[in-house]
Amino acid sequence: MLTVRHRRGPRGDISAEDILSAAERLLETGGSAALTLRAVASEAGVTPTAVYTYFGDMADLRNRLGDDFLGRLDLGLLGVRPPAAALHRFLRHVLEAAEAAPGHVEVLATQRVAGPHSLALNEAFLEYFSDAVGHPPNRAASLTTLVTEWLHGRLLLSPSNAASAAFTTALATVDLADYPRSRQMLTTHSDESALDLLVAAITGTGLPPAEAGGSDQTVGS
């Protein structure tokens, strides 16, 4: 006979918000590595099993943390005019919010998040690309995926992040004179210019002029 497990009902001395607040504090001080069942329970002042009163497992808790973080974003920025300025301002807003919350970025990197806030963000992108920029639904969907993946990659792999000791040591063993374009990129590349290029390409506003001698030069120039 199949046994169906039911999640226990709410307790009077603890709430889902209490557990989320405890998890938020751990994220701020120790990153996603600090987000364990025992650590969350200890921070919330409950037993580990009490966490399961409100969350099915730790993946469920991380999903809620990630979705709540996305709820902090100001989706109204996508509604300003002109559309190119709206997208640039919103993406810069997302990057700044994420850079101030590295623990949440780590959570978002570990699993795909589903919830009212993540779906509202997706909906806002689809509406922006369809209504503001004028793309058909299938193209709007593709562009939404593109921007979402660019944001994930930018936050996880950005060259603006401090290079690790291992990276610096490994780079010192290579003669960069053999890789002149890469050497120039490492010393002059601007993340802001990458954002400009992305927005220009997506909105069809035309690419910004390349700076003479900068890292925006085309291949063969």
Side-chain angles (χ1 to χ4, degrees):
M1 178 177 179
L2 179 63
T3 301
V4 180
R5 296 179 60 187
H6 296 282
R7 187 182 301 185
R8 291 176 296 168
R11 292 174 30 156
D13 59 337
I14 189 71
S15 68
E17 293 303 322
D18 292 330
I19 295 172
L20 285 168
S21 294
E24 289 276 1
R25 293 192 294 272
L26 290 172
L27 273 181
E28 291 177 3
T29 57
S32 62
L35 206 62
T36 66
L37 174 61
R38 290 187 178 278
V40 171
S42 176
E43 182 69 22
V46 299
T47 62
T49 55
V51 175
Y52 293 131
T53 301
Y54 298 95
F55 301 97
D57 51 27
M58 288 302 294
D60 186 18
L61 175 59
R62 288 193 296 270
N63 183 84
R64 176 66 183 274
L65 287 168
D67 191 63
D68 283 357
F69 170 73
L70 295 178
R72 304 174 192 175
L73 302 178
D74 184 2
L75 302 183
L77 292 175
L78 285 171
V80 304
R81 293 293 185 268
L87 183 59
H88 194 286
R89 186 177 303 176
F90 179 72
L91 294 180
R92 174 50 57 194
H93 163 64
V94 175
L95 295 176
E96 291 174 353
E99 286 166 4
H104 290 84
V105 173
E106 293 174 3
V107 168
L108 291 171
T110 61
Q111 67 185 69
R112 190 173 184 178
V113 170
H117 299 304
S118 63
L119 289 173
L121 173 60
N122 199 70
E123 194 76 9
F125 272 137
L126 290 169
E127 181 178 343
Y128 168 81
F129 287 122
S130 294
D131 299 345
V133 185
H135 289 296
N138 60 334
R139 178 63 59 83
S142 296
L143 289 171
T144 295
T145 299
L146 172 64
V147 171
T148 301
E149 291 178 348
W150 180 85
L151 281 169
H152 275 275
R154 163 65 176 78
L155 292 169
L156 294 174
L157 303 174
S158 172
S160 67
N161 294 336
S164 67
F167 174 83
T168 302
T169 299
L171 190 63
T173 65
V174 180
D175 185 359
L176 291 180
D178 295 333
Y179 312 96
R181 294 177 185 269
S182 295
R183 178 177 61 185
Q184 184 181 41
M185 175 181 171
L186 288 169
T187 57
T188 66
H189 179 69
S190 166
D191 281 348
E192 191 66 28
S193 67
L195 178 56
D196 292 342
L197 289 170
L198 176 71
V199 171
I202 287 177
T203 60
T205 55
L207 298 181
E211 296 180 6
S215 60
D216 255 2
Q217 293 176 337
T218 58
V219 175
S221 60

mmCIF file of all heavy atoms in Angstrom, residues 146-171:
data_model
loop_
_atom_site.group_PDB
_atom_site.id
_atom_site.type_symbol
_atom_site.label_atom_id
_atom_site.label_comp_id
_atom_site.label_asym_id
_atom_site.label_seq_id
_atom_site.Cartn_x
_atom_site.Cartn_y
_atom_site.Cartn_z
ATOM 1 N N LEU A 146 18.088 35.117 -23.710
ATOM 2 C CA LEU A 146 19.423 35.663 -23.932
ATOM 3 C C LEU A 146 19.835 36.612 -22.810
ATOM 4 O O LEU A 146 20.934 36.501 -22.254
ATOM 5 C CB LEU A 146 19.469 36.396 -25.277
ATOM 6 C CG LEU A 146 20.744 37.200 -25.575
ATOM 7 C CD1 LEU A 146 21.938 36.273 -25.673
ATOM 8 C CD2 LEU A 146 20.578 38.006 -26.860
ATOM 9 N N VAL A 147 18.954 37.553 -22.470
ATOM 10 C CA VAL A 147 19.281 38.534 -21.434
ATOM 11 C C VAL A 147 19.430 37.860 -20.075
ATOM 12 O O VAL A 147 20.336 38.186 -19.298
ATOM 13 C CB VAL A 147 18.203 39.637 -21.380
ATOM 14 C CG1 VAL A 147 18.407 40.525 -20.164
ATOM 15 C CG2 VAL A 147 18.247 40.476 -22.643
ATOM 16 N N THR A 148 18.556 36.901 -19.784
ATOM 17 C CA THR A 148 18.636 36.193 -18.508
ATOM 18 C C THR A 148 19.957 35.447 -18.385
ATOM 19 O O THR A 148 20.635 35.500 -17.349
ATOM 20 C CB THR A 148 17.468 35.206 -18.365
ATOM 21 O OG1 THR A 148 16.233 35.927 -18.446
ATOM 22 C CG2 THR A 148 17.535 34.473 -17.033
ATOM 23 N N GLU A 149 20.367 34.768 -19.454
ATOM 24 C CA GLU A 149 21.625 34.017 -19.423
ATOM 25 C C GLU A 149 22.817 34.958 -19.369
ATOM 26 O O GLU A 149 23.829 34.663 -18.710
ATOM 27 C CB GLU A 149 21.698 33.099 -20.643
ATOM 28 C CG GLU A 149 20.679 31.960 -20.587
ATOM 29 C CD GLU A 149 20.726 31.079 -21.811
ATOM 30 O OE1 GLU A 149 21.388 31.465 -22.807
ATOM 31 O OE2 GLU A 149 20.097 29.997 -21.790
ATOM 32 N N TRP A 150 22.729 36.112 -20.049
ATOM 33 C CA TRP A 150 23.822 37.084 -19.996
ATOM 34 C C TRP A 150 23.997 37.596 -18.568
ATOM 35 O O TRP A 150 25.128 37.725 -18.076
ATOM 36 C CB TRP A 150 23.543 38.252 -20.937
ATOM 37 C CG TRP A 150 24.653 39.274 -20.922
ATOM 38 C CD1 TRP A 150 25.801 39.262 -21.651
ATOM 39 C CD2 TRP A 150 24.714 40.455 -20.105
ATOM 40 N NE1 TRP A 150 26.579 40.356 -21.352
ATOM 41 C CE2 TRP A 150 25.939 41.101 -20.404
ATOM 42 C CE3 TRP A 150 23.864 41.023 -19.166
ATOM 43 C CZ2 TRP A 150 26.320 42.296 -19.787
ATOM 44 C CZ3 TRP A 150 24.249 42.205 -18.547
ATOM 45 C CH2 TRP A 150 25.462 42.835 -18.859
ATOM 46 N N LEU A 151 22.894 37.884 -17.893
ATOM 47 C CA LEU A 151 22.977 38.370 -16.520
ATOM 48 C C LEU A 151 23.628 37.330 -15.611
ATOM 49 O O LEU A 151 24.500 37.657 -14.795
ATOM 50 C CB LEU A 151 21.580 38.712 -15.996
ATOM 51 C CG LEU A 151 20.994 40.049 -16.458
ATOM 52 C CD1 LEU A 151 19.519 40.135 -16.083
ATOM 53 C CD2 LEU A 151 21.769 41.215 -15.850
ATOM 54 N N HIS A 152 23.225 36.066 -15.762
ATOM 55 C CA HIS A 152 23.820 35.005 -14.947
ATOM 56 C C HIS A 152 25.324 34.922 -15.198
ATOM 57 O O HIS A 152 26.117 34.868 -14.248
ATOM 58 C CB HIS A 152 23.161 33.660 -15.273
ATOM 59 C CG HIS A 152 21.906 33.397 -14.508
ATOM 60 N ND1 HIS A 152 21.891 32.855 -13.251
ATOM 61 C CD2 HIS A 152 20.605 33.625 -14.819
ATOM 62 C CE1 HIS A 152 20.654 32.742 -12.819
ATOM 63 N NE2 HIS A 152 19.846 33.203 -13.753
ATOM 64 N N GLY A 153 25.719 34.907 -16.453
ATOM 65 C CA GLY A 153 27.133 34.816 -16.779
ATOM 66 C C GLY A 153 27.912 36.025 -16.325
ATOM 67 O O GLY A 153 29.038 35.912 -15.819
ATOM 68 N N ARG A 154 27.337 37.191 -16.497
ATOM 69 C CA ARG A 154 28.000 38.440 -16.098
ATOM 70 C C ARG A 154 28.268 38.465 -14.600
ATOM 71 O O ARG A 154 29.343 38.858 -14.146
ATOM 72 C CB ARG A 154 27.132 39.623 -16.531
ATOM 73 C CG ARG A 154 27.440 40.955 -15.876
ATOM 74 C CD ARG A 154 28.824 41.470 -16.261
ATOM 75 N NE ARG A 154 29.037 42.779 -15.700
ATOM 76 C CZ ARG A 154 29.347 43.044 -14.433
ATOM 77 N NH1 ARG A 154 29.450 42.047 -13.575
ATOM 78 N NH2 ARG A 154 29.531 44.282 -14.017
ATOM 79 N N LEU A 155 27.299 38.012 -13.831
ATOM 80 C CA LEU A 155 27.458 38.041 -12.384
ATOM 81 C C LEU A 155 28.445 36.981 -11.888
ATOM 82 O O LEU A 155 29.162 37.196 -10.921
ATOM 83 C CB LEU A 155 26.097 37.836 -11.714
ATOM 84 C CG LEU A 155 25.110 38.994 -11.906
ATOM 85 C CD1 LEU A 155 23.718 38.584 -11.432
ATOM 86 C CD2 LEU A 155 25.584 40.228 -11.171
ATOM 87 N N LEU A 156 28.478 35.847 -12.556
ATOM 88 C CA LEU A 156 29.337 34.755 -12.108
ATOM 89 C C LEU A 156 30.765 34.853 -12.627
ATOM 90 O O LEU A 156 31.712 34.429 -11.966
ATOM 91 C CB LEU A 156 28.742 33.411 -12.527
ATOM 92 C CG LEU A 156 27.415 33.034 -11.864
ATOM 93 C CD1 LEU A 156 26.868 31.764 -12.485
ATOM 94 C CD2 LEU A 156 27.604 32.860 -10.366
ATOM 95 N N LEU A 157 30.930 35.420 -13.824
ATOM 96 C CA LEU A 157 32.236 35.376 -14.473
ATOM 97 C C LEU A 157 32.807 36.746 -14.802
ATOM 98 O O LEU A 157 33.779 36.845 -15.532
ATOM 99 C CB LEU A 157 32.144 34.556 -15.768
ATOM 100 C CG LEU A 157 31.625 33.123 -15.611
ATOM 101 C CD1 LEU A 157 31.447 32.475 -16.978
ATOM 102 C CD2 LEU A 157 32.577 32.298 -14.757
ATOM 103 N N SER A 158 32.229 37.790 -14.278
ATOM 104 C CA SER A 158 32.644 39.142 -14.639
ATOM 105 C C SER A 158 34.118 39.381 -14.360
ATOM 106 O O SER A 158 34.622 39.087 -13.280
ATOM 107 C CB SER A 158 31.828 40.176 -13.864
ATOM 108 O OG SER A 158 32.357 41.461 -14.071
ATOM 109 N N PRO A 159 34.855 39.943 -15.326
ATOM 110 C CA PRO A 159 36.267 40.279 -15.097
ATOM 111 C C PRO A 159 36.436 41.405 -14.099
ATOM 112 O O PRO A 159 37.543 41.674 -13.643
ATOM 113 C CB PRO A 159 36.770 40.686 -16.489
ATOM 114 C CG PRO A 159 35.544 41.097 -17.235
ATOM 115 C CD PRO A 159 34.447 40.211 -16.710
ATOM 116 N N SER A 160 35.337 42.080 -13.742
ATOM 117 C CA SER A 160 35.455 43.140 -12.743
ATOM 118 C C SER A 160 35.582 42.580 -11.337
ATOM 119 O O SER A 160 35.981 43.278 -10.411
ATOM 120 C CB SER A 160 34.228 44.070 -12.802
ATOM 121 O OG SER A 160 33.067 43.392 -12.385
ATOM 122 N N ASN A 161 35.210 41.298 -11.176
ATOM 123 C CA ASN A 161 35.374 40.678 -9.867
ATOM 124 C C ASN A 161 36.858 40.510 -9.580
ATOM 125 O O ASN A 161 37.668 40.300 -10.482
ATOM 126 C CB ASN A 161 34.688 39.309 -9.829
ATOM 127 C CG ASN A 161 33.180 39.435 -9.950
ATOM 128 O OD1 ASN A 161 32.619 40.479 -9.626
ATOM 129 N ND2 ASN A 161 32.542 38.378 -10.418
ATOM 130 N N ALA A 162 37.196 40.590 -8.309
ATOM 131 C CA ALA A 162 38.600 40.451 -7.930
ATOM 132 C C ALA A 162 39.140 39.092 -8.373
ATOM 133 O O ALA A 162 38.529 38.056 -8.123
ATOM 134 C CB ALA A 162 38.747 40.604 -6.422
ATOM 135 N N ALA A 163 40.288 39.111 -9.036
ATOM 136 C CA ALA A 163 40.888 37.861 -9.497
ATOM 137 C C ALA A 163 41.384 37.066 -8.296
ATOM 138 O O ALA A 163 41.939 37.629 -7.348
ATOM 139 C CB ALA A 163 42.039 38.157 -10.454
ATOM 140 N N SER A 164 41.173 35.770 -8.348
ATOM 141 C CA SER A 164 41.640 34.920 -7.260
ATOM 142 C C SER A 164 43.157 34.819 -7.297
ATOM 143 O O SER A 164 43.805 35.101 -8.312
ATOM 144 C CB SER A 164 41.025 33.524 -7.385
ATOM 145 O OG SER A 164 41.526 32.873 -8.554
ATOM 146 N N ALA A 165 43.724 34.388 -6.172
ATOM 147 C CA ALA A 165 45.176 34.211 -6.107
ATOM 148 C C ALA A 165 45.633 33.159 -7.112
ATOM 149 O O ALA A 165 46.685 33.287 -7.737
ATOM 150 C CB ALA A 165 45.582 33.811 -4.692
ATOM 151 N N ALA A 166 44.817 32.117 -7.280
ATOM 152 C CA ALA A 166 45.175 31.064 -8.230
ATOM 153 C C ALA A 166 45.213 31.606 -9.654
ATOM 154 O O ALA A 166 46.102 31.268 -10.440
ATOM 155 C CB ALA A 166 44.175 29.910 -8.124
ATOM 156 N N PHE A 167 44.226 32.464 -10.008
ATOM 157 C CA PHE A 167 44.196 33.051 -11.347
ATOM 158 C C PHE A 167 45.411 33.929 -11.567
ATOM 159 O O PHE A 167 46.074 33.859 -12.613
ATOM 160 C CB PHE A 167 42.917 33.872 -11.525
ATOM 161 C CG PHE A 167 42.860 34.638 -12.823
ATOM 162 C CD1 PHE A 167 42.445 34.016 -13.989
ATOM 163 C CD2 PHE A 167 43.223 35.977 -12.869
ATOM 164 C CE1 PHE A 167 42.400 34.720 -15.187
ATOM 165 C CE2 PHE A 167 43.179 36.687 -14.065
ATOM 166 C CZ PHE A 167 42.759 36.056 -15.223
ATOM 167 N N THR A 168 45.730 34.781 -10.599
ATOM 168 C CA THR A 168 46.870 35.687 -10.731
ATOM 169 C C THR A 168 48.175 34.914 -10.870
ATOM 170 O O THR A 168 49.032 35.251 -11.691
ATOM 171 C CB THR A 168 46.936 36.613 -9.507
ATOM 172 O OG1 THR A 168 45.711 37.348 -9.403
ATOM 173 C CG2 THR A 168 48.097 37.592 -9.635
ATOM 174 N N THR A 169 48.312 33.853 -10.065
ATOM 175 C CA THR A 169 49.529 33.040 -10.132
ATOM 176 C C THR A 169 49.656 32.349 -11.484
ATOM 177 O O THR A 169 50.736 32.331 -12.094
ATOM 178 C CB THR A 169 49.524 31.986 -9.008
ATOM 179 O OG1 THR A 169 49.478 32.645 -7.740
ATOM 180 C CG2 THR A 169 50.767 31.112 -9.079
ATOM 181 N N ALA A 170 48.549 31.771 -11.958
ATOM 182 C CA ALA A 170 48.574 31.079 -13.248
ATOM 183 C C ALA A 170 48.864 32.058 -14.384
ATOM 184 O O ALA A 170 49.627 31.748 -15.311
ATOM 185 C CB ALA A 170 47.256 30.363 -13.482
ATOM 186 N N LEU A 171 48.280 33.250 -14.320
ATOM 187 C CA LEU A 171 48.481 34.239 -15.373
ATOM 188 C C LEU A 171 49.931 34.704 -15.421
ATOM 189 O O LEU A 171 50.475 34.976 -16.501
ATOM 190 C CB LEU A 171 47.554 35.438 -15.141
ATOM 191 C CG LEU A 171 47.463 36.458 -16.278
ATOM 192 C CD1 LEU A 171 46.867 35.806 -17.533
ATOM 193 C CD2 LEU A 171 46.605 37.645 -15.853
#
